[in-house]
Coordinates of all heavy atoms in Angstrom, one line a residue:
V1 N -3.6 -39.0 -11.0 CA -2.4 -38.3 -11.3 C -1.9 -37.3 -10.1 O -0.8 -37.2 -9.7 CB -2.5 -37.6 -12.7 CG1 -1.4 -36.5 -12.8 CG2 -2.4 -38.6 -13.7
I2 N -2.9 -36.6 -9.6 CA -2.7 -35.7 -8.6 C -2.2 -36.5 -7.3 O -1.2 -36.1 -6.6 CB -3.9 -34.8 -8.2 CG1 -4.2 -33.9 -9.3 CG2 -3.7 -34.0 -6.9 CD1 -5.7 -33.2 -9.2
S3 N -2.9 -37.6 -7.0 CA -2.5 -38.4 -5.8 C -1.1 -38.8 -5.9 O -0.3 -38.7 -4.9 CB -3.5 -39.6 -5.7 OG -4.7 -39.2 -5.3
N4 N -0.7 -39.4 -7.1 CA 0.6 -40.0 -7.3 C 1.7 -38.9 -7.2 O 2.7 -39.1 -6.6 CB 0.7 -40.8 -8.5 CG -0.1 -42.1 -8.5 OD1 -0.4 -42.5 -7.4 ND2 -0.5 -42.5 -9.6
A5 N 1.4 -37.7 -7.9 CA 2.4 -36.7 -7.9 C 2.6 -35.9 -6.6 O 3.7 -35.4 -6.3 CB 2.0 -35.6 -9.0
A6 N 1.5 -35.8 -5.8 CA 1.6 -35.0 -4.5 C 2.0 -35.9 -3.3 O 2.3 -35.4 -2.3 CB 0.3 -34.4 -4.3
R7 N 2.0 -37.2 -3.4 CA 2.2 -38.1 -2.3 C 3.7 -38.1 -1.9 O 4.6 -38.3 -2.7 CB 1.8 -39.6 -2.7 CG 2.0 -40.5 -1.5 CD 1.4 -41.9 -1.9 NE 0.0 -41.8 -2.1 CZ -0.6 -42.2 -3.1 NH1 0.1 -42.7 -4.2 NH2 -1.9 -42.2 -3.3
T8 N 3.9 -37.9 -0.6 CA 5.2 -38.1 0.0 C 5.2 -39.3 0.9 O 6.2 -39.8 1.4 CB 5.7 -36.8 0.8 OG1 4.9 -36.7 1.9 CG2 5.7 -35.6 -0.1
G9 N 4.1 -39.7 1.4 CA 3.9 -40.8 2.3 C 3.9 -40.3 3.8 O 3.9 -41.1 4.7
K10 N 4.0 -39.0 3.9 CA 4.1 -38.4 5.3 C 2.8 -37.7 5.5 O 2.0 -37.2 4.7 CB 5.3 -37.5 5.4 CG 6.6 -38.2 5.2 CD 7.8 -37.3 5.5 CE 9.0 -38.0 5.6 NZ 9.6 -38.3 4.3
I11 N 2.5 -37.5 6.8 CA 1.3 -36.8 7.2 C 1.3 -35.4 6.7 O 2.4 -34.8 6.5 CB 1.2 -36.7 8.8 CG1 -0.2 -36.3 9.2 CG2 2.3 -35.9 9.4 CD1 -0.5 -36.6 10.7
G12 N 0.2 -34.9 6.3 CA 0.1 -33.5 5.7 C 0.2 -33.5 4.1 O 0.3 -32.4 3.6
D13 N 0.1 -34.7 3.5 CA 0.2 -34.7 2.0 C -1.0 -34.0 1.4 O -0.9 -33.4 0.2 CB 0.2 -36.1 1.5 CG 1.6 -36.7 1.5 OD1 2.6 -35.9 1.7 OD2 1.8 -37.9 1.3
G14 N -2.1 -33.9 2.0 CA -3.2 -33.1 1.5 C -4.5 -33.9 1.3 O -4.7 -35.0 1.7
K15 N -5.4 -33.3 0.6 CA -6.8 -33.8 0.2 C -7.1 -33.4 -1.2 O -6.6 -32.5 -1.8 CB -7.8 -33.2 1.2 CG -7.7 -33.4 2.6 CD -8.4 -34.7 3.0 CE -8.6 -34.8 4.5 NZ -7.4 -35.1 5.2
I16 N -8.1 -34.2 -1.8 CA -8.6 -34.0 -3.1 C -10.2 -34.0 -2.9 O -10.7 -34.9 -2.3 CB -8.2 -35.0 -4.1 CG1 -6.7 -35.0 -4.3 CG2 -8.9 -34.8 -5.4 CD1 -6.2 -36.1 -5.2
F17 N -10.8 -33.0 -3.4 CA -12.3 -32.8 -3.4 C -12.8 -32.8 -4.8 O -12.2 -32.0 -5.6 CB -12.6 -31.5 -2.7 CG -12.1 -31.4 -1.3 CD1 -10.9 -30.7 -1.1 CD2 -12.7 -32.1 -0.2 CE1 -10.4 -30.6 0.2 CE2 -12.1 -31.9 1.1 CZ -11.0 -31.2 1.3
V18 N -13.8 -33.5 -5.1 CA -14.4 -33.5 -6.4 C -15.9 -33.1 -6.3 O -16.6 -33.6 -5.4 CB -14.4 -34.9 -7.1 CG1 -15.0 -34.9 -8.5 CG2 -13.0 -35.4 -7.1
M19 N -16.3 -32.1 -7.1 CA -17.7 -31.6 -7.0 C -18.2 -31.2 -8.3 O -17.5 -31.0 -9.3 CB -17.7 -30.4 -6.0 CG -16.8 -29.2 -6.5 SD -16.3 -28.2 -5.1 CE -14.9 -29.2 -4.5
P20 N -19.6 -31.3 -8.5 CA -20.2 -31.0 -9.8 C -20.0 -29.5 -10.2 O -20.0 -28.6 -9.3 CB -21.6 -31.5 -9.6 CG -21.8 -31.4 -8.1 CD -20.6 -31.6 -7.5
V21 N -20.0 -29.2 -11.5 CA -20.0 -27.9 -12.0 C -21.2 -27.8 -12.9 O -21.4 -28.6 -13.9 CB -18.7 -27.6 -12.8 CG1 -18.8 -26.2 -13.5 CG2 -17.5 -27.7 -11.9
E22 N -22.1 -26.9 -12.6 CA -23.3 -26.7 -13.3 C -23.1 -26.0 -14.7 O -23.8 -26.3 -15.6 CB -24.4 -25.9 -12.5 CG -24.9 -26.7 -11.3 CD -26.0 -26.0 -10.6 OE1 -26.7 -25.1 -11.2 OE2 -26.1 -26.3 -9.4
R23 N -22.3 -25.0 -14.7 CA -22.2 -24.2 -15.9 C -20.8 -23.6 -16.0 O -20.3 -23.1 -15.0 CB -23.3 -23.1 -15.8 CG -23.5 -22.3 -17.1 CD -24.8 -21.5 -16.9 NE -24.9 -20.6 -18.1 CZ -25.7 -19.6 -18.1 NH1 -26.4 -19.3 -17.0 NH2 -25.8 -18.8 -19.2
V24 N -20.3 -23.5 -17.1 CA -19.0 -22.9 -17.4 C -19.1 -21.9 -18.6 O -19.7 -22.3 -19.6 CB -17.8 -23.9 -17.7 CG1 -16.5 -23.2 -18.0 CG2 -17.7 -24.8 -16.6
I25 N -18.7 -20.7 -18.5 CA -18.8 -19.7 -19.5 C -17.4 -19.1 -19.7 O -16.8 -18.6 -18.8 CB -19.8 -18.6 -19.2 CG1 -21.2 -19.2 -19.0 CG2 -19.8 -17.5 -20.3 CD1 -21.8 -18.8 -17.8
R26 N -16.9 -19.0 -20.9 CA -15.7 -18.3 -21.3 C -16.1 -16.9 -21.5 O -16.8 -16.6 -22.4 CB -15.0 -18.9 -22.5 CG -13.7 -18.1 -22.8 CD -12.9 -18.9 -24.0 NE -12.2 -20.0 -23.4 CZ -12.2 -21.2 -24.0 NH1 -12.7 -21.3 -25.2 NH2 -11.5 -22.1 -23.4
I27 N -15.5 -16.0 -20.7 CA -15.9 -14.6 -20.8 C -15.6 -14.0 -22.1 O -16.4 -13.2 -22.7 CB -15.2 -13.8 -19.6 CG1 -15.8 -14.3 -18.3 CG2 -15.4 -12.3 -19.8 CD1 -15.1 -13.7 -17.1
R28 N -14.3 -14.2 -22.6 CA -13.9 -13.6 -23.9 C -14.8 -13.9 -25.0 O -15.2 -13.0 -25.9 CB -12.5 -14.0 -24.2 CG -11.9 -13.5 -25.5 CD -10.6 -13.9 -25.8 NE -10.3 -15.3 -25.7 CZ -10.5 -16.1 -26.8 NH1 -10.8 -15.6 -28.0 NH2 -10.3 -17.4 -26.7

């Protein structure tokens, strides 16, 4: 979805990085 929505077909469209998340805590 990000690739399709952000693509213009021109140089500089960007990058996507995927990384693991070990732990998530909701502070509230």
Side-chain angles (χ1 to χ4, degrees):
V1 162
I2 293 167
S3 290
N4 291 338
R7 182 176 294 124
T8 67
K10 296 186 171 82
I11 195 165
D13 275 351
K15 297 267 194 286
I16 300 172
F17 306 96
V18 180
M19 56 208 84
V21 172
E22 291 185 24
R23 193 171 173 195
V24 176
I25 300 128
R26 178 173 285 136
I27 294 172
R28 179 178 53 88

